[in-house]
Amino acid sequence: MKRIFAIALAMITMTACTNRTNPFLTEWDTPFGIPPFEQIREADFIPALQAGIEQHNAEIQAIIDNPETPDFDNVIAAYDLSGELLSNVAGVLFNMAETDNTPTLEKVVEEATALVSQHSNDLTFNKELFAKVEAVQAKKDELGLTREQEMVLDKIYRSFAEGGIALDEAGQARMKEINTELSVLSNRFGNYLLKENNAFKAEFGVAISEYPDAMAVEEDRARREAMFRAYSNRGNNGNENDTKDIIFNILKLKEEKAQLLGYPTPAAHILSNKMAKTPEAVDAFLANIFKYAVARAKEEVKDMQQVMDADIQAGKVEKGATIQPWDWFYYAEKVRKAKYALDEELTKPYFKMENVREGVFNTASKLYGLTFEKIENAPKYHPDVEAFKVTDADGSLIGVLTTDYFPRESKRGGAWMNNIRDEYVTADGQMVRPIIVNVGNFNKPTADTPSLLSLDNVETMFHEFGHALHGLLTQCHYRTVSGTSVARDFVELPSQINENWAFQKEVLAGYAKHYETGEVIPDELVEKIIAAGNFNQGFMTTELCAASILDMKWHELPSVEGVDIAAFEKKVCQEMGLIDEIIPRYRTTYFNHIFNSGYSAGYYSYLWAEVLDKDAFELFMQKGIFDPATATSFRKNILEKGGSEEPMTLYKNFRGAEPDPDALLRARGLK
């Protein structure tokens, strides 16, 4: 009690000294507890983080000092509920770092990353706290726990065991250093890549997210080559944003960490608690898919070469030219137009961003009974952001969804979902509903034209909203297993299955309307979209599979000492059988997923989860894409459960059997 009083006094003093209340240290009088973004200043973050850490330390000490016999409630549940202030501050800070970064905020994040990492280390190696956890773990079979409580206990216990609590004093000290250094380096990698992406846009006038579309229509072959080389060499230019040294240091630290914990490689360490379990299982999985994908890609090259040959005959391309990586998007689009008479410039007017988002919402309404209501005057961290109240069929609050869909120099490339606030149940039984962010980098509206999405953009919006549904619909008691807190190779199931509704005829009829005339997309155009659904899948699957293999090979190395990045990458591509016309979706020096976004030895997860999602959607196709019983089962067994049960158990509870491994190949038209 004295410690908590001291913290409160420190907070008051902080307020008095600055003559202003730090927004993080007050109750938020905002709709549904949305952070008061407009009131938050960059200078607020570090003091608030420090206060959050102090508060969390006091809560942990209270668990340790509790004289009662350790049990689930006074140790595990108390630990799960601790750190609310710290979580609130970190949730806002790291979301803004990805979506609205500034040079000064970048420095704040670097300092914050070190603070949070040090605090995490202090928890991980707190022997008194672990003794309490271990005492509960030792008698878990006697406690009458629910299955969710068992999963929470096991996850928390493993976090200590896998964190290195059993190491000697020197080992623990080194592990703390490694964890802090990894946090700082990963953040720095993201910052360097953001600068490289902005430099690319400055040179070519094309945002990274717009690169495939721009390459598909760029007729100047020399310009295409220049764009390709700049795009594929990001982080590898020998300038101040070169990422190679960061990558080496990250990999060395991961190798040392794995070996300290008794694993031969980072991949073996990372996969030990995933569905796949071992690097060998992932390697075999990827090799099988790659075999079919590259065979199809070779056929696609032949189709494109025929079109290029016609251009050579017409004098548009130099004699003897063959398809190169910078030609793929351009000639693939020509082949698509020839084979399916499908021109994306004709489809885009039917995919106005707001209409697509309405289609996403309506699909969720039909499947799960959800309602979406815009929150007027909601606090926002950027003018592009919009917020929506999400309610269930009975009118109860599901949560808050905010969307942030347009590119800017302060936002990193790509698309993702963030949790600003998790769902959980408080100690007095009150359910806290989540606040979720969906982020994209779609074409920004102009003075004359609204944001019009490509077919790939449409699929991306449905994908990220699938993650949002996972975070919104969760009905767990504990933050440790709430929402997307699941195994990495399971987390993409809700997102990827949601893509399947995007281009269903029934769904398109409800949202695909011409932005000028309001005309519903014609049946003829819908048929072309559906017919072309598996077009270019050789390329798409090959580049994705190649990146997954590259990720695994880096993390299967016991040591990167003396390894040349370019030479190693080339060797891996040759050994997997990657054709010269394709490069991995992400090359090493700009592979943000594995060096800054938690997908180390885990990029395969997209393909792994696609086996689940395609197998699951086959049931929807059999029963009806809006069949109430199937949708309810998916919601109850997958979306609401978070990590409260083993992933395969959850899947079998929904599907009635393990997934058919060929479901992915069938869906992509590869087998």
Side-chain angles (χ1 to χ4, degrees):
M1 184 63 71
K2 289 180 180 177
R3 185 179 178 88
I4 294 173
F5 178 79
I7 295 167
L9 181 62
M11 292 178 181
I12 293 169
T13 303
M14 186 189 310
T15 301
C17 290
T18 61
N19 202 28
R20 171 181 171 272
T21 301
N22 188 316
F24 288 109
L25 307 182
T26 64
E27 291 291 326
W28 292 344
D29 184 20
T30 57
F32 312 105
I34 299 172
F37 292 108
E38 289 94 340
Q39 299 174 29
I40 296 170
R41 301 175 186 172
E42 291 178 351
D44 293 330
F45 285 112
I46 297 302
L49 275 175
Q50 291 169 333
I53 289 170
E54 283 295 309
Q55 186 182 87
H56 198 197
N57 286 337
E59 292 165 340
I60 296 302
Q61 195 61 45
I63 295 172
I64 294 169
D65 293 341
N66 190 334
E68 298 176 1
T69 302
D71 61 22
F72 185 88
D73 288 335
N74 64 29
V75 176
I76 304 303
Y79 181 76
D80 179 83
L81 284 170
S82 67
E84 183 176 4
L85 173 58
L86 178 58
S87 178
N88 287 343
V89 181
V92 174
L93 173 60
F94 292 112
N95 180 74
M96 291 182 65
E98 292 181 319
T99 57
D100 204 23
N101 205 358
T102 66
T104 52
L105 186 62
E106 189 175 309
K107 294 177 182 177
V108 169
V109 171
E110 189 135 337
E111 183 179 355
T113 299
L115 280 172
V116 172
S117 179
Q118 181 59 53
H119 177 61
S120 177
N121 281 333
D122 291 342
L123 290 180
T124 299
F125 296 106
N126 188 320
K127 291 186 177 181
E128 292 178 299
L129 176 61
F130 178 64
K132 294 274 187 171
V133 173
E134 194 172 32
V136 180
Q137 175 76 3
K139 59 179 182 181
K140 67 177 181 178
D141 294 338
E142 307 166 17
L143 299 176
L145 302 180
T146 66
R147 183 58 181 146
E148 180 180 354
Q149 289 172 333
E150 289 178 348
M151 291 294 290
V152 172
L153 172 56
D154 286 345
K155 189 169 183 179
I156 290 174
Y157 178 80
R158 284 201 315 269
S159 72
F160 284 95
E162 288 294 304
I165 193 71
L167 294 172
D168 60 22
E169 190 173 331
Q172 288 191 12
R174 181 56 187 149
M175 186 65 79
K176 289 179 181 180
E177 293 173 349
I178 290 171
N179 290 338
T180 299
E181 289 176 43
L182 279 172
S183 297
V184 172
L185 287 170
S186 295
N187 179 64
R188 193 171 297 162
F189 180 94
N191 290 333
Y192 280 22
L193 184 55
L194 176 60
K195 292 170 184 174
E196 285 285 273
N197 292 347
N198 288 338
F200 178 87
K201 183 177 181 181
E203 183 176 358
F204 295 101
V206 174
I208 288 296
S209 59
E210 299 166 344
Y211 172 79
D213 291 344
M215 292 289 278
V217 297
E218 178 55 65
E219 296 187 357
D220 186 334
R221 193 173 187 230
R223 179 173 166 79
R224 288 203 306 272
E225 181 177 358
M227 289 174 67
F228 166 79
R229 294 195 182 282
Y231 178 91
S232 61
N233 274 304
R234 285 173 293 149
N236 188 35
N237 294 304
N239 58 19
E240 66 275 12
N241 299 320
D242 194 288
T243 62
K244 291 194 292 295
D245 285 345
I246 294 177
I247 289 168
F248 273 121
N249 287 328
I250 287 175
L251 289 170
K252 286 177 184 176
L253 290 167
K254 287 180 181 178
E255 289 161 2
E256 186 180 357
K257 182 173 183 175
Q259 288 158 13
L260 275 171
L261 294 172
Y263 294 96
T265 65
H269 171 221
I270 292 164
L271 289 164
S272 62
N273 64 353
K274 305 298 187 292
M275 291 183 75
K277 300 300 182 189
T278 67
E280 292 78 14
V282 175
D283 291 343
F285 170 75
L286 293 173
N288 183 58
I289 295 172
F290 188 86
K291 174 178 63 178
Y292 290 98
V294 78
R296 176 61 56 84
K298 290 175 181 177
E299 296 173 12
E300 292 166 357
V301 171
K302 292 177 182 177
D303 290 342
M304 291 188 293
Q305 188 63 52
Q306 289 181 357
V307 179
M308 177 180 269
D309 289 344
D311 282 351
I312 292 172
Q313 291 294 322
K316 297 178 181 178
V317 179
E318 66 275 16
K319 290 183 178 180
T322 57
I323 295 293
Q324 299 297 321
W326 51 87
D327 296 314
W328 196 293
F329 290 110
Y330 180 75
Y331 280 100
E333 183 62 16
K334 285 196 167 215
V335 172
R336 178 162 63 173
K337 288 179 183 178
K339 278 193 171 185
Y340 305 102
L342 180 61
D343 184 347
E344 286 228 38
E345 295 308 308
L346 297 178
T347 63
K348 282 182 180 179
Y350 294 95
F351 294 115
K352 179 182 173 183
M353 185 279 286
E354 291 81 0
N355 291 350
V356 177
R357 184 173 59 191
E358 191 64 26
V360 167
F361 289 172
N362 287 341
T363 300
S365 297
K366 287 184 178 181
L367 286 168
Y368 310 117
L370 306 182
T371 299
F372 300 83
E373 178 186 348
K374 186 173 180 179
I375 305 172
E376 300 295 342
N377 302 315
K380 55 182 69 175
Y381 57 85
H382 190 275
D384 289 346
V385 173
E386 297 180 81
F388 299 86
K389 174 187 176 184
V390 187
T391 52
D392 212 341
D394 62 2
S396 61
L397 180 67
I398 288 292
V400 172
L401 172 72
T402 67
T403 63
D404 179 5
Y405 284 144
F406 302 130
R408 48 184 174 267
E409 287 191 0
S410 58
K411 182 196 285 188
R412 73 171 173 87
W416 64 93
M417 167 268 204
N418 269 344
N419 287 34
I420 286 184
R421 184 177 72 204
D422 295 324
E423 175 270 346
Y424 63 100
V425 177
T426 64
D428 59 0
Q430 298 298 310
M431 179 169 279
V432 176
R433 296 310 304 172
I435 299 174
I436 305 297
V437 185
N438 262 181
V439 184
N441 277 278
F442 307 138
N443 294 325
K444 198 160 188 173
T446 67
D448 304 317
T449 311
S451 173
L452 301 178
L453 307 190
S454 67
L455 299 177
D456 184 60
N457 291 157
V458 173
E459 195 170 82
T460 296
M461 188 185 288
F462 272 81
H463 176 102
E464 296 306 332
F465 186 72
H467 282 307
L469 286 172
H470 201 187
L472 286 165
L473 289 173
T474 183
Q475 296 289 333
C476 294
H477 241 74
Y478 306 98
R479 286 190 291 192
T480 300
V481 295
S482 173
T484 57
S485 298
V486 301
R488 178 65 72 185
D489 45 11
F490 188 69
V491 77
E492 296 297 336
L493 167 59
S495 56
Q496 292 183 180
I497 195 172
N498 208 55
E499 297 174 20
N500 290 281
W501 278 272
F503 302 120
Q504 298 292 323
K505 287 184 179 180
E506 182 179 346
V507 178
L508 284 167
Y511 78 86
K513 300 174 183 178
H514 198 285
Y515 78 95
E516 290 178 313
T517 66
E519 171 202 16
V520 175
I521 190 167
D523 288 344
E524 179 187 5
L525 203 48
V526 173
E527 292 294 342
K528 290 177 181 178
I529 292 173
I530 294 172
N534 282 329
F535 174 71
N536 208 34
Q537 278 298 326
F539 168 81
M540 294 176 69
T541 312
T542 297
E543 64 157 8
L544 173 57
C545 206
S548 303
I549 293 170
L550 179 61
D551 165 33
M552 289 301 300
K553 294 309 176 187
W554 275 121
H555 289 95
E556 287 171 356
L557 286 175
S559 173
V560 292
E561 203 64 52
V563 175
D564 178 82
I565 284 182
F568 180 79
E569 188 176 287
K570 182 178 180 180
K571 176 174 175 285
V572 169
C573 290
Q574 288 174 339
E575 288 177 349
M576 75 174 77
L578 185 63
I579 57 178
D580 292 340
E581 295 86 354
I582 299 178
I583 64 170
R585 179 170 295 182
Y586 299 104
R587 296 187 68 189
T588 304
T589 54
Y590 53 90
F591 209 154
N592 194 69
H593 279 78
I594 67 173
F595 295 120
N596 185 41
S597 294
Y599 278 80
S600 301
Y603 195 64
Y604 76 92
S605 300
Y606 289 96
L607 290 165
W608 185 277
E610 190 174 340
V611 171
L612 305 178
D613 105 62
K614 296 309 181 190
D615 181 75
F617 194 69
E618 285 182 356
L619 183 61
F620 276 99
M621 294 295 287
Q622 293 164 16
K623 302 288 186 179
I625 64 168
F626 289 112
D627 176 60
T630 307
T632 298
S633 177
F634 190 78
R635 174 176 175 169
K636 296 297 183 185
N637 288 303
I638 305 292
L639 297 176
E640 291 185 359
K641 292 295 187 180
S644 62
E645 179 55 274
E646 292 294 342
M648 189 55 76
T649 300
L650 293 178
Y651 187 80
K652 288 192 292 186
N653 288 344
F654 163 70
R655 192 66 166 93
E658 292 192 3
D660 178 355
D662 282 349
L664 177 150
L665 297 173
R666 288 195 298 271
R668 288 183 174 242
L670 300 176
K671 186 177 182 181

